[in-house]
Structures are given as C-alpha cells and as structure tokens.
Amino acid sequence: MRTTLPEAFPAHTPAVPQIFTIVLSHGPVTRAEIARRAGVSPAAVTKAVRPLIEAGYLVEEAGEDLPPALGRPANALRVDGGRALFIGVKVTGDSAIAVLTDLRCRIRVTRRASLDDRSPDGVLATTGELVTELLVEAEGFGVQVRGIGFAVSGDVVRTDGTVRYSPFLDWRDVPLGERAAAATGLPVTVENDVRALTVAEQWFGAGAGLTDFALVTVGAGIGCGLVVGGRVVSGAHGVAGEIGHLSIDPTGPPCHCGNRGCVEAIASDPAIVREVRARTGIHVADAAEALALARGGDTAARQVYARAGEAIGRAIGSLVNLLGPERVIISGEGLAAHDLFADRIQDAFTVSAFGTAARCEVSTHPLPFEAWARGAAATAIQSFIGSDSRSGGSGWR
Amino acid sequence: MRTTLPEAFPAHTPAVPQIFTIVLSHGPVTRAEIARRAGVSPAAVTKAVRPLIEAGYLVEEAGEDLPPALGRPANALRVDGGRALFIGVKVTGDSAIAVLTDLRCRIRVTRRASLDDRSPDGVLATTGELVTELLVEAEGFGVQVRGIGFAVSGDVVRTDGTVRYSPFLDWRDVPLGERAAAATGLPVTVENDVRALTVAEQWFGAGAGLTDFALVTVGAGIGCGLVVGGRVVSGAHGVAGEIGHLSIDPTGPPCHCGNRGCVEAIASDPAIVREVRARTGIHVADAAEALALARGGDTAARQVYARAGEAIGRAIGSLVNLLGPERVIISGEGLAAHDLFADRIQDAFTVSAFGTAARCEVSTHPLPFEAWARGAAATAIQSFIGSDSRSGGSGWR
DNA sequence: CTTCTTTCATTGACAACAGAAAAGAATGAA
DNA sequence: TTCATTCTTTTCTGTTGTCAATGAAAGAAG
C-alpha cells in the first residue's frame, strides 16, 4: 500500500523554478529574502510559494531564525526533501553506480554494479537492474521516484538525451534518454558527467549561490565544469571545460591528444603512474601504489606529484585569468594525493593569476564517488522543477 | 532650426530590446523570422514592433526578399540608423578618439586628440572638447545624440560608470560616468575597452548572431573579450579575458606580471620589439620598424614573429578547449604583421585544440582604430534600447 | 503599559503581456 | 479559378506580477 502521491510539480508561474531553486540552495530562507534575491516583489513570492506549500514541497520553518532582528519575525521556508525521490546513475568504463536521492539531493541508497558489456544494450541492462532495485527501495519510502538522471563522460546533448560520443564507452549517437525513458516510463535526463557534478555543486555544494565558479576534477582524467554568469557552460558544440588538454609546457610529455605538455599528460592518474615508473624504475601497478611510494618518502615519486600539482595550478591560473571566477573547487579521486600537491597547486596558481583574478579562492573539496551519481540526480531534479529550460535560456544576441 | 526629435525609445514591453537587437544584428528580417529567433509568437512581434515603426526606429523594407518563397511574401524590417546618434569615446594612455555613430553604429564623424594630462580632470577636459565638437556636427544631421559611451582599459564597473583601476591612465576609483553625465547632460555608459569592442562585434561585426565567441586583440597588449551563452563575460570581480597572461611556456621570457612565458611577454608589440633587438642586434625603435625588418627578410626577426604567432595560437587553443566557442576573431593593431604569423597561429591552434573544439573557426578581422570608439558607442546604444539590463541578467542560481 | 517603529507577510485591484485562434493578405501551384 | 501556403494582424482571454494598502509581530521609547 502506497501513500497518495503528490501531483506534478506545481510550477504554474514562471518564477516558481527560480524561487524554488533559491530555497533549495540557500537553506531555510524567508520570503522577504527570496524576493530580494529573485528581484521580484514580496507579493509575488507569497503567491508563488503557496501552491508549493500546499503540495508539500515547501514547509515553513518554525522559530529558529536569527533572533536579534527588528520588526516582525520572518518565517523561513525550506524544501521538504522527503516529498519526492530521484535516481542518479553514473556510468564509467567499467562500472555503474546509482543513487536514490530525495528532492534535496541527499543520498538515501547507493547501488553499484560492474559493467562487463559496455555496449548500449549492456549498459542499459546493467543500469536497468540498478534502477529497478532502487525503485523497489523507493517503495519503502512511500514516495514516488519522479525522474532519473544519467551522467556519462563525453559529448552529451542534454536537450535530446543523446550521447553523441563517449570515448570510454565507445559510444556514438546513442539515444540513451529515449531508451531509458521507454524502459522505465519515467522522465530521464542525460548530461555530461562533469557538468552534472557541477550542477550539484552549484545548487547543493561548494558553489552554492555563486554565479561564477569552476569545478576541476582530478583523477583518471582531468575535467572541468564551468559556471559563468550563473549558467553551466556547454560551449557552442556541446563541449567545454577541457582543462585537461590545456598545454602547460610545450616541451612536456606527449599526450594522447597529439599535443605535448597537457595537464592530463602530467597530472592524471595514468600519467603519474607512468612517470613514477620512469623515474624510479619501480613498476607500480596503479595510482594507489604510486601514491604509497611517494608517501613512503621516495624523492623521485614525490617530485612527480609536485610537478602534477604545478601543472594543475598553472592550468587553474589560465582558467581564472580567462573567466575571473569567484572560486575554483578541486575535486576527484586524485585528491587522495592532496597532501603531496596541494601546496604546489596553490603556489603555481598564485604565480599565474593576474591582478584581481588572484582574489579567486582555490579550494579542495573531496567528494565520494557517489557524488557523480548524485550529480546525475541533480539534473533530474533540475528537470523536475522546470529549471533547466530557463537557465539554459538563450540570453539572446 | 532642428527637426522634431523622436521621443525616448519606446521599450514599453519587455520583449522590445530583444526584438530590436535581433533586427539590429540580423539586417532586414521578417516578423516571422524575429518570432522564431526570439521564441515568441508572431502576434507578440507585431505588437512590439508597431510603436518602434511609428517612432521611426524601424522601417519596412520594400520588396527585395528572397524571391522564390511560397506563401505570402514577408515584409522585412530594418533599423533606420538615422533616427538617433551616439558618441563613443576611447581613451588610451596618450590619446583620445571619439566617433559619432548612428543607431546602427555606423561611424559618421571621427575626432582625435592627443592626451597630455592623464588625470581624470585632464581626460574629461580633452574628451569634453571632442564630445562638444561632435555634438556640433550632430546638429547638422538634425537628430539628437542620445547617449555617450566611454571605453577605458582596465577594471571598469559598468553598472555605476566607475573606473576602478586603469593602469594606463593610473586611475583609481574615478566616477567617470557620473562626471561625464553631469558635464554633458546626456546618458553615459562606461565599459572596459575590450568588452565594448566585443559588444560591437557581437551586434554588428564578425560575431553577429553567435552565442559563443571570443575576440582576441593583439597589439600593445593582448586582450580578449568573451561571449558565453550570448552574454559578455565580466567575471565575478569585473575582470575577465586576461588571455595575455596565459602562460604558454614556463621557461619563456619573464613578464611584468611576475610570471614567465605569458603571451603578452612573447607576442605583444613591446615584447616583439625587445626580442627582435635581442636576436638581431639591430636597435629597432618600434613595432613598425621591427615589422619592416622582418618583411625585409631578416630570418631572426621573422622567427620572432613566428614564435609570437605560435604563442597566440596556443593561447587560443587553451581558450577554445575551455569554452568551446563557435569562432575566435583575432583583431588589433598587431594584425599588421598578419602575413608573418597567421599560419603559425592556425597551426598552433590546430595542435592545441582538443576534439570537437577544433571545429571552432579562427579568423582574423582587421579593425581600424576607430573601432574601439565604435565599441564605446555600441554600449551607449545598448543602454539606449534597454538591452543591457536584460542581457546582464543574473541567470540566477 | 501604551504607542511608535520596523520588518515581514498578505490581500485585492489592476495593468501589462503574451499566447491562441481565427481571419485577412498576398503570392505560387494545380 | 481554386487551393495551398506562408506571413501578418486582430481580438480575445488568461496569466503574471506590481502596487498600495493592510495586518501581524515583534522591539524601542516614552
């Protein structure tokens, strides 16, 4: 027996997605504050939030305000995360991870599976099982799952749910969204993995409330999500943020892209492993072993990490010079080596950043691997509340 | 005797600035086409456009359509540039240039003056004279000047018309807009020079109709204006596009910014002069002499230009990898040496650009020096038609 | 203990805007 | 001549959000 489900999201006035997003990312917030942030009248806020409160998506926060305030005390609003569930799926080259989140993108359940068959059929079969399991879990919460998001690395067309090209999966023009929607009967969003993670950070994470920031992910590859003027950058051809192929040193090691000295050819896990082997003569098997060697005090190995940090710092310097963001968030599995290169990143950045750009704050923000799947869920939430159509607006010309 | 002046711009419906901008940058265009581009109904276009036609800002283009069309022939609209005039002023370290343009940003009159006194008072005096002369010229057209734009290099706060810091002028926190408005009684806009030029290109130039492009200016410095998602990028702290301080080579020549191998330390006019002197032993006085030497066949000098081209190309590659624009437009006085480094720019870009980013078209687009002042006028036009408030919109969070 | 001030929230009237649908206009095709 | 097609306009209608006034809930001031 399942409790009654709330109706579709009552986004019947255009300002609703904006207002809801403000409440979502700015915690409990008063109507007056919402009105100021959104640049609309308080009356408009009152009218917009009423249906949301009635539908249960927003609740009034009792008491706990900033006590010493003049005038009538404000009633803060917050999102009741429990009124809707979402599923986010991250697909890598050899595994899939899926999370069940609430409307506030808090992870409730996590499921993983290894991926033997990378073909579209194989991936759909594996992720389909994960999704089914999570849908069963969801029944325990008595709340319906309102959307599924997929995060895939590569060239993804969000608007039509197509994976144009994914090197890791060796996919070309796969209508993932369409197929997954057909299989599950639920709304499906498909987004590039880094952009999905960026959306999650923009709304719920270290980028909350910022209009200009960058998220740099360090690990098997070096990726980057950009938020400029409050909007996630997709580029004219759907590809952007390729910070991994910024060439830092024209005499640096060759990169698989054909250029030399790319950050990815210096600071990605494979590059580090390769370089540690070359410099120490020790055949480390993977990034973990290379890291252990460096932690053990091997000077040559430590130098490899130092060099990686410098490359990342310089690349971030370039990014900051170009875009002038307020913050750069470094994340990814590669942060395991944080202690070995964090200082180098900061130093190289400080040297590279020009003028006021140096005001940009560069910080590391470790994220568990589920965060990638959480990012996928965030895109599903975005779509559910009707925010994606708007924020993707043309900004005309 | 002066003809009757049109009233203030009738932007009484929110869609007017957008629609007017479309007509402005897409030449004669039919209402149906406007509706498609703007994403509004044809009815809305009809209604929005009528007051503009009545006020004389738009006129119906007779006949000359694309002849072989089915159905009722369309009536194209175009902007009547002659119905309003604007003044654009570009201030450099040693001179000021001012242009009188029409509403379509076509230059009608140009005036220059050398700048002996760079203090705010001195600049206001000199530019004030230029503006006065142009206002006199404007009377000959029988049309009122509706706004003045200033373009200044450095950190400029457009919203309040303040020059926060301009190294060339040695200004800090100068309320240029306020003072100029008080002196002239006209609306004044103040914008960073590269961003102003970018606006002009976005509306009237090589970037017309593109949502993602970059304008790279080569000359005494290396600058860059960015348009991402249809909006000019200003960065969180008002500074962006510092492509000149992208470091291309960690072992390159030192730059005044403290880093090494910046594009500006390799490819700016002063850097080229310095390097040509060092390599040839010939004491060339300025960029023109260095250029003459290279054109004369001096191998060492030619290599300096080749290296400059490579640096620019690599920097553009970085930019394109990060932002994925549709086009990069190279301009500036430095293009005088176009024949000496254009190939190198293209080659270096092709090597640096990753994947689909390489689809980006890199083209040179020589602009006369007045173009900088024209950019300033473009910002005045933008402000006049009420487009700046909108396009600078928050895109929330 | 009242009264004032301040801020937040709500209400109802109102104006503006955009969309839908239908009609009209102007052409080529059948 | 009639039809099909496309562009443009008109009228109507519903939605949105602002305005201005009002109420609510506190602290501050006398």
Side-chain angles (χ1 to χ4, degrees):
Chain A
M1 183 61 62
R2 179 180 295 192
T3 63
T4 312
L5 298 165
E7 322 68 48
F9 192 72
H12 288 314
T13 112
V16 162
Q18 179 185 10
I19 289 173
F20 196 80
T21 303
I22 289 172
V23 183
L24 214 37
S25 51
H26 293 273
V29 59
T30 71
R31 291 172 175 79
E33 176 68 14
I34 294 169
R36 281 189 293 267
R37 283 189 188 274
V40 298
S41 68
V45 176
T46 294
K47 283 178 231 186
V49 298
R50 198 190 331 265
L52 296 175
I53 293 173
E54 281 165 7
Y57 291 115
L58 292 183
V59 291
E60 228 147 333
E61 190 82 297
E64 44 189 311
D65 330 335
L66 357 160
L70 198 58
R72 168 178 173 175
N75 288 28
L77 297 171
R78 65 176 173 77
V79 174
D80 179 1
R83 294 300 299 239
L85 291 172
F86 299 85
I87 291 174
V89 183
K90 153 82 172 172
V91 183
T92 73
D94 54 10
S95 71
I97 177 165
V99 296
L100 182 70
T101 79
D102 66 13
L103 183 51
R104 287 169 69 179
C105 219
R106 293 175 298 197
I107 296 176
R108 302 296 187 88
V109 184
T110 303
R111 283 281 186 280
R112 291 160 204 266
S114 71
L115 203 62
D116 308 316
D117 176 3
R118 295 181 196 173
S119 72
D121 288 337
V123 169
L124 276 158
T126 304
T127 59
E129 283 171 29
L130 291 177
V131 168
T132 306
E133 290 175 33
L134 290 180
L135 287 171
V136 171
E137 294 278 345
E139 289 192 15
F141 292 96
V143 181
Q144 215 177 26
V145 172
R146 311 305 296 255
I148 303 179
F150 283 84
V152 180
S153 78
D155 182 357
V156 173
V157 186
R158 177 170 181 164
T159 44
D160 63 3
T162 298
V163 177
R164 195 138 41 155
Y165 174 52
S166 176
F168 280 88
L169 294 168
D170 194 29
W171 283 11
R172 284 183 189 276
D173 296 308
V174 175
L176 177 59
E178 197 178 296
R179 294 192 57 181
T184 61
L186 285 168
V188 173
T189 56
V190 182
E191 178 60 292
N192 167 274
D193 55 354
V194 183
R195 285 202 296 266
L197 192 57
T198 304
V199 167
E201 291 301 298
Q202 182 188 22
W203 278 13
F204 308 107
L210 303 184
T211 56
D212 292 84
F213 74 93
L215 174 70
V216 176
T217 64
V218 181
I222 314 278
C224 172
L226 300 169
V227 172
V228 172
R231 302 192 301 196
V232 177
V233 176
S234 285
H237 304 294
V239 177
E242 289 293 350
I243 200 175
H245 295 282
L246 253 52
S247 171
I248 279 334
D249 178 357
T251 64
C255 177
H256 60 84
C257 75
N259 202 355
R260 301 187 78 93
C262 295
V263 182
E264 195 154 310
I266 298 173
S268 68
D269 284 349
I272 287 175
V273 168
R274 196 183 320 119
E275 190 69 9
V276 167
R277 281 182 195 165
R279 291 217 199 175
T280 64
I282 301 171
H283 193 84
V284 292
D286 56 18
E289 285 189 16
L291 183 55
L293 192 62
R295 286 251 174 75
D298 185 296
T299 318
R302 294 181 77 89
Q303 277 173 357
V304 171
Y305 280 96
R307 190 173 173 223
E310 195 184 327
I312 295 168
R314 290 170 58 87
I316 290 174
S318 293
L319 185 166
V320 169
N321 283 336
L322 278 178
L323 294 174
E326 209 167 333
R327 184 180 295 170
V328 175
I329 304 153
I330 306 173
S331 192
E333 321 88 81
L335 275 194
H338 174 246
D339 52 312
L340 291 172
F341 58 37
D343 290 349
R344 289 309 196 93
I345 292 178
Q346 191 63 53
D347 291 350
F349 164 72
T350 306
V351 170
S352 315
F354 175 72
T356 49
R359 275 193 234 160
C360 172
E361 168 200 337
V362 177
S363 58
T364 55
H365 183 55
L367 289 171
F369 195 69
E370 303 95 78
W372 291 95
R374 181 169 173 261
T379 68
I381 295 172
Q382 215 177 21
S383 172
F384 175 66
I385 69 178
S387 146
D388 51 351
S389 56
R390 193 161 313 257
S391 58
S394 66
W396 38 284
R397 36 257 145 125
Chain B
M1 184 59 64
R2 180 180 293 192
T3 62
T4 312
L5 298 165
E7 322 69 49
F9 192 72
H12 288 312
T13 112
V16 163
Q18 179 184 13
I19 288 173
F20 196 81
T21 303
I22 289 172
V23 183
L24 214 38
S25 53
H26 293 274
V29 58
T30 71
R31 291 174 176 79
E33 176 69 13
I34 295 170
R36 280 188 293 267
R37 282 190 189 274
V40 299
S41 69
V45 176
T46 293
K47 281 181 263 192
V49 131
R50 200 194 326 270
L52 297 175
I53 293 174
E54 281 166 7
Y57 292 115
L58 292 182
V59 290
E60 229 148 330
E61 190 82 298
E64 45 188 309
D65 330 337
L66 357 161
L70 197 58
R72 169 178 175 174
N75 288 29
L77 297 170
R78 66 177 173 78
V79 173
D80 179 0
R83 293 302 298 242
L85 291 173
F86 298 86
I87 291 175
V89 184
K90 153 81 174 174
V91 183
T92 73
D94 55 7
S95 72
I97 178 166
V99 295
L100 182 71
T101 79
D102 66 11
L103 184 51
R104 285 169 69 179
C105 218
R106 292 175 300 196
I107 295 175
R108 300 296 186 87
V109 185
T110 303
R111 285 280 186 280
R112 290 159 206 265
S114 71
L115 203 63
D116 308 317
D117 176 4
R118 294 181 197 173
S119 73
D121 288 336
V123 168
L124 275 158
T126 304
T127 58
E129 284 171 28
L130 291 177
V131 168
T132 307
E133 290 176 32
L134 290 180
L135 287 172
V136 172
E137 292 279 347
E139 290 192 14
F141 292 98
V143 181
Q144 216 176 25
V145 171
R146 310 308 296 257
I148 304 180
F150 283 84
V152 180
S153 78
D155 182 356
V156 173
V157 186
R158 176 168 185 168
T159 44
D160 62 2
T162 298
V163 177
R164 194 139 38 156
Y165 175 52
S166 174
F168 280 88
L169 294 170
D170 193 28
W171 282 10
R172 283 184 190 277
D173 295 309
V174 175
L176 177 59
E178 199 178 294
R179 295 193 56 182
T184 61
L186 286 168
V188 172
T189 56
V190 182
E191 178 59 294
N192 167 274
D193 55 352
V194 182
R195 285 203 295 265
L197 193 58
T198 305
V199 169
E201 290 302 297
Q202 182 188 21
W203 278 13
F204 309 106
L210 303 184
T211 56
D212 292 85
F213 73 93
L215 173 70
V216 176
T217 65
V218 182
I222 314 278
C224 173
L226 299 170
V227 173
V228 172
R231 302 194 301 196
V232 178
V233 176
S234 287
H237 305 294
V239 176
E242 289 292 349
I243 199 176
H245 295 282
L246 253 54
S247 171
I248 279 333
D249 177 357
T251 64
C255 177
H256 61 85
C257 75
N259 202 355
R260 301 187 77 93
C262 294
V263 183
E264 197 154 308
I266 299 174
S268 68
D269 284 349
I272 287 175
V273 168
R274 194 184 321 120
E275 189 70 8
V276 166
R277 282 181 194 163
R279 291 217 199 176
T280 64
I282 302 171
H283 193 84
V284 292
D286 56 16
E289 284 190 18
L291 184 55
L293 192 64
R295 284 252 175 74
D298 185 296
T299 317
R302 295 181 76 90
Q303 278 173 356
V304 172
Y305 280 96
R307 191 173 171 223
E310 195 183 326
I312 296 169
R314 290 170 57 88
I316 291 175
S318 293
L319 187 166
V320 168
N321 283 336
L322 277 178
L323 294 174
E326 208 167 336
R327 183 180 296 168
V328 174
I329 304 154
I330 305 173
S331 193
E333 321 89 81
L335 274 194
H338 174 246
D339 52 312
L340 291 173
F341 58 39
D343 290 350
R344 288 310 195 92
I345 292 178
Q346 191 64 54
D347 291 350
F349 163 72
T350 306
V351 170
S352 317
F354 175 72
T356 49
R359 276 193 232 160
C360 171
E361 169 198 339
V362 177
S363 59
T364 55
H365 183 55
L367 289 171
F369 194 70
E370 304 94 78
W372 292 95
R374 182 170 173 260
T379 67
I381 295 172
Q382 214 177 21
S383 172
F384 176 66
I385 68 178
S387 145
D388 51 352
S389 55
R390 193 162 312 260
S391 58
S394 66
W396 37 284
R397 39 255 143 131

XYZ file of all heavy atoms in Angstrom, chain A residues 12-15 39-41 43-44 47 71-73, chain D residues 15-21 23-28:
358
model
N 3.392 26.491 -11.947
C 2.464 27.124 -12.870
C 2.752 28.587 -13.105
O 2.165 29.201 -13.980
C 1.026 26.891 -12.405
C 0.623 25.476 -12.624
N 0.885 24.828 -13.807
C 0.038 24.573 -11.824
C 0.435 23.593 -13.718
N -0.069 23.403 -12.528
N 3.619 29.159 -12.325
C 4.039 30.509 -12.679
C 5.524 30.500 -13.003
O 6.276 29.720 -12.421
C 3.695 31.536 -11.572
O 4.920 32.017 -10.989
C 2.828 30.939 -10.491
N 5.907 31.317 -13.953
C 7.281 31.267 -14.455
C 8.338 31.453 -13.379
O 9.435 30.924 -13.494
C 7.330 32.446 -15.446
C 5.928 32.672 -15.835
C 5.091 32.291 -14.665
N 8.022 32.195 -12.326
C 9.040 32.470 -11.322
C 9.257 31.297 -10.383
O 10.215 31.289 -9.611
C 8.661 33.719 -10.525
N 14.703 39.273 -7.151
C 14.386 40.537 -7.798
C 12.919 40.673 -8.139
O 12.559 41.300 -9.121
N 12.051 40.073 -7.335
C 10.611 40.229 -7.542
C 10.008 40.788 -6.259
O 10.675 40.894 -5.235
C 9.944 38.887 -7.913
C 10.506 38.351 -9.202
C 10.081 37.892 -6.785
N 8.742 41.124 -6.328
C 8.091 41.712 -5.167
C 7.765 40.613 -4.158
O 7.575 39.454 -4.516
C 6.811 42.411 -5.596
O 5.874 41.454 -6.030
N 5.053 40.178 -2.744
C 3.735 39.634 -3.064
C 3.841 38.469 -4.040
O 3.161 37.455 -3.901
C 2.860 40.736 -3.650
N 4.723 38.630 -4.996
C 4.892 37.561 -5.985
C 5.387 36.291 -5.317
O 4.978 35.181 -5.673
C 5.863 38.010 -7.072
N 2.570 34.527 -3.486
C 1.682 33.812 -4.403
C 2.350 32.590 -5.012
O 1.718 31.562 -5.223
C 1.205 34.761 -5.502
C 0.123 35.705 -5.000
C -0.304 36.656 -6.089
C -0.255 38.068 -5.582
N -0.774 39.059 -6.511
N 11.559 44.331 14.000
C 10.361 44.107 13.212
C 9.787 42.721 13.370
O 10.279 41.896 14.150
N 8.758 42.480 12.617
C 8.089 41.179 12.696
C 9.052 40.065 12.325
O 9.757 40.155 11.326
C 6.906 41.185 11.724
C 6.315 39.817 11.500
C 5.131 39.895 10.580
N 4.649 38.582 10.230
C 3.568 38.355 9.509
N 2.867 39.369 9.061
N 3.190 37.138 9.231
N 9.070 39.007 13.116
C 9.977 37.892 12.799
C 9.566 37.233 11.491
O 8.380 37.154 11.156
C 9.806 36.926 13.975
C 8.858 37.558 14.907
C 8.229 38.730 14.268
P -5.385 31.110 -16.247
O -5.393 29.678 -15.924
O -6.205 32.064 -15.458
O -3.877 31.622 -16.250
C -3.158 31.604 -17.486
C -1.908 32.442 -17.365
O -2.205 33.828 -17.685
C -1.279 32.445 -15.976
O 0.118 32.370 -16.148
C -1.713 33.796 -15.409
C -1.709 34.658 -16.659
N -2.582 35.860 -16.634
C -2.055 37.085 -17.007
O -0.907 37.244 -17.343
N -2.951 38.115 -16.974
C -4.281 38.071 -16.622
O -4.991 39.061 -16.631
C -4.760 36.761 -16.247
C -6.187 36.594 -15.844
C -3.904 35.723 -16.264
P 1.037 31.852 -14.935
O 1.804 30.697 -15.401
O 0.195 31.743 -13.730
O 2.019 33.087 -14.762
C 1.520 34.344 -15.201
C 2.556 35.418 -15.024
O 1.901 36.659 -15.273
C 3.118 35.515 -13.614
O 4.449 35.963 -13.662
C 2.186 36.495 -12.934
C 1.737 37.400 -14.077
N 0.299 37.799 -13.955
C -0.093 39.059 -14.365
O 0.676 39.857 -14.836
N -1.420 39.332 -14.187
C -2.386 38.498 -13.658
O -3.544 38.871 -13.550
C -1.913 37.195 -13.257
C -2.875 36.218 -12.679
C -0.599 36.909 -13.418
P 5.329 35.842 -12.312
O 6.649 35.336 -12.713
O 4.567 35.173 -11.242
O 5.485 37.377 -11.917
C 5.835 38.318 -12.920
C 5.383 39.692 -12.491
O 3.938 39.748 -12.532
C 5.795 40.026 -11.043
O 6.319 41.329 -10.988
C 4.481 39.924 -10.281
C 3.477 40.349 -11.336
N 2.106 39.902 -11.054
C 1.698 38.671 -10.606
N 0.406 38.576 -10.430
C -0.075 39.822 -10.788
C -1.406 40.329 -10.799
O -2.442 39.750 -10.489
N -1.441 41.648 -11.227
C -0.347 42.393 -11.598
N -0.576 43.640 -11.982
N 0.896 41.935 -11.590
C 0.959 40.657 -11.176
P 7.080 41.823 -9.687
O 8.513 41.797 -9.994
O 6.571 41.135 -8.490
O 6.607 43.356 -9.625
C 6.288 44.036 -10.843
C 5.296 45.154 -10.556
O 3.957 44.621 -10.452
C 5.576 45.911 -9.252
O 5.505 47.311 -9.509
C 4.447 45.455 -8.324
C 3.334 45.150 -9.309
N 2.346 44.136 -8.836
C 1.004 44.448 -8.817
O 0.567 45.533 -9.170
N 0.191 43.438 -8.373
C 0.569 42.180 -7.960
O -0.258 41.363 -7.588
C 1.986 41.923 -7.992
C 2.496 40.593 -7.548
C 2.799 42.894 -8.425
P 6.001 48.315 -8.400
O 6.840 49.293 -9.110
O 6.531 47.548 -7.255
O 4.654 49.022 -7.930
C 3.563 49.126 -8.835
C 2.331 49.623 -8.096
O 1.488 48.485 -7.770
C 2.621 50.344 -6.783
O 1.837 51.526 -6.723
C 2.218 49.335 -5.703
C 1.151 48.496 -6.408
N 1.088 47.070 -5.969
C -0.159 46.443 -5.804
O -1.190 47.092 -6.009
N -0.193 45.145 -5.430
C 0.954 44.475 -5.225
N 0.867 43.189 -4.865
C 2.226 45.100 -5.394
C 2.248 46.386 -5.763
P 2.284 52.680 -5.711
O 2.314 53.920 -6.517
O 3.449 52.280 -4.917
O 1.023 52.718 -4.744
C -0.253 52.274 -5.227
C -1.119 51.866 -4.063
O -1.003 50.432 -3.841
C -0.749 52.522 -2.735
O -1.943 52.828 -2.049
C 0.059 51.452 -2.021
C -0.702 50.198 -2.471
N 0.069 48.954 -2.394
C 1.421 48.794 -2.503
N 1.815 47.553 -2.389
C 0.643 46.842 -2.195
C 0.383 45.479 -2.019
N 1.327 44.546 -2.017
N -0.903 45.114 -1.852
C -1.852 46.053 -1.876
N -1.734 47.365 -2.039
C -0.440 47.699 -2.202
P -1.948 53.695 -0.718
O -2.622 54.955 -1.035
O -0.596 53.691 -0.122
O -2.896 52.800 0.187
C -3.943 52.053 -0.443
C -4.309 50.881 0.442
O -3.387 49.795 0.218
C -4.270 51.194 1.943
O -5.449 50.723 2.548
C -3.022 50.464 2.420
C -2.994 49.268 1.477
N -1.685 48.650 1.330
C -0.475 49.273 1.101
N 0.548 48.461 1.016
C -0.034 47.199 1.201
C 0.511 45.911 1.224
N 1.817 45.658 1.052
N -0.335 44.882 1.429
C -1.643 45.133 1.599
N -2.272 46.303 1.594
C -1.405 47.305 1.393
P -6.431 46.339 8.551
O -7.865 46.094 8.815
O -5.744 47.516 9.112
O -5.626 45.035 8.971
C -5.832 43.819 8.272
C -4.740 42.838 8.629
O -3.490 43.282 8.044
C -4.472 42.726 10.142
O -4.284 41.367 10.457
C -3.200 43.536 10.333
C -2.482 43.233 9.025
N -1.440 44.171 8.650
C -1.559 45.534 8.482
N -0.443 46.101 8.123
C 0.464 45.057 8.055
C 1.837 45.055 7.716
O 2.545 46.012 7.400
N 2.379 43.772 7.773
C 1.683 42.642 8.109
N 2.365 41.506 8.118
N 0.395 42.633 8.415
C -0.142 43.867 8.370
P -4.264 40.909 11.993
O -5.392 39.989 12.171
O -4.105 42.090 12.862
O -2.910 40.079 12.100
C -2.137 39.762 10.968
C -0.749 39.338 11.413
O 0.220 40.337 10.985
C -0.565 39.217 12.931
O 0.335 38.156 13.157
C 0.018 40.563 13.320
C 0.909 40.846 12.109
N 1.153 42.256 11.836
C 0.252 43.285 11.882
N 0.769 44.455 11.555
C 2.099 44.174 11.273
C 3.169 44.980 10.860
N 3.082 46.289 10.653
N 4.356 44.383 10.674
C 4.459 43.064 10.865
N 3.520 42.202 11.246
C 2.347 42.826 11.443
P 0.359 37.466 14.606
O 0.387 36.009 14.367
O -0.646 38.072 15.490
O 1.794 37.898 15.133
C 2.953 37.432 14.443
C 4.132 38.293 14.839
O 3.936 39.636 14.362
C 4.352 38.416 16.358
O 5.647 37.940 16.656
C 4.197 39.898 16.650
C 4.511 40.510 15.295
N 3.943 41.830 15.056
C 2.659 42.245 15.260
N 2.443 43.499 14.934
C 3.672 43.950 14.492
C 4.127 45.192 14.010
N 3.339 46.258 13.888
N 5.413 45.295 13.652
C 6.198 44.227 13.772
N 5.900 43.001 14.212
C 4.615 42.934 14.559
P 5.976 37.312 18.046
O 7.117 36.406 17.853
O 4.731 36.845 18.672
O 6.469 38.588 18.879
C 7.807 38.680 19.229
C 8.460 39.844 18.483
O 7.468 40.571 17.741
C 9.055 40.899 19.390
O 10.329 40.480 19.812
C 9.133 42.100 18.456
C 7.998 41.836 17.454
N 6.912 42.827 17.496
C 5.624 42.623 17.896
N 4.850 43.681 17.786
C 5.695 44.652 17.279
C 5.491 46.009 16.940
N 4.310 46.623 17.067
N 6.553 46.695 16.464
C 7.735 46.066 16.327
N 8.032 44.800 16.609
C 6.965 44.142 17.095
P 10.826 40.928 21.260
O 11.867 39.995 21.726
O 9.644 41.197 22.104
O 11.502 42.321 20.920
C 12.618 42.343 20.024
C 12.954 43.784 19.678
O 11.756 44.431 19.188
C 13.435 44.614 20.862
O 14.465 45.490 20.425
C 12.197 45.373 21.293
C 11.489 45.585 19.967
N 10.032 45.680 20.094
C 9.182 44.733 20.595
N 7.931 45.096 20.571
C 7.949 46.369 20.017
C 6.895 47.276 19.744
O 5.691 47.131 19.942
N 7.376 48.460 19.186
C 8.674 48.724 18.920
N 8.946 49.928 18.381
N 9.679 47.902 19.165
C 9.241 46.736 19.712
P 15.195 46.421 21.493
O 16.591 46.571 21.040
O 14.896 45.953 22.861
O 14.443 47.812 21.268
C 14.489 48.422 19.979
C 13.984 49.857 20.062
O 12.540 49.853 20.172
C 14.510 50.639 21.263
O 14.759 51.977 20.839
C 13.367 50.549 22.274
C 12.135 50.501 21.365
N 11.014 49.716 21.894
C 11.076 48.470 22.450
N 9.904 47.997 22.813
C 9.006 48.992 22.463
C 7.615 49.111 22.576
N 6.835 48.168 23.104
N 7.036 50.252 22.126
C 7.818 51.196 21.588
N 9.152 51.198 21.422
C 9.686 50.062 21.885
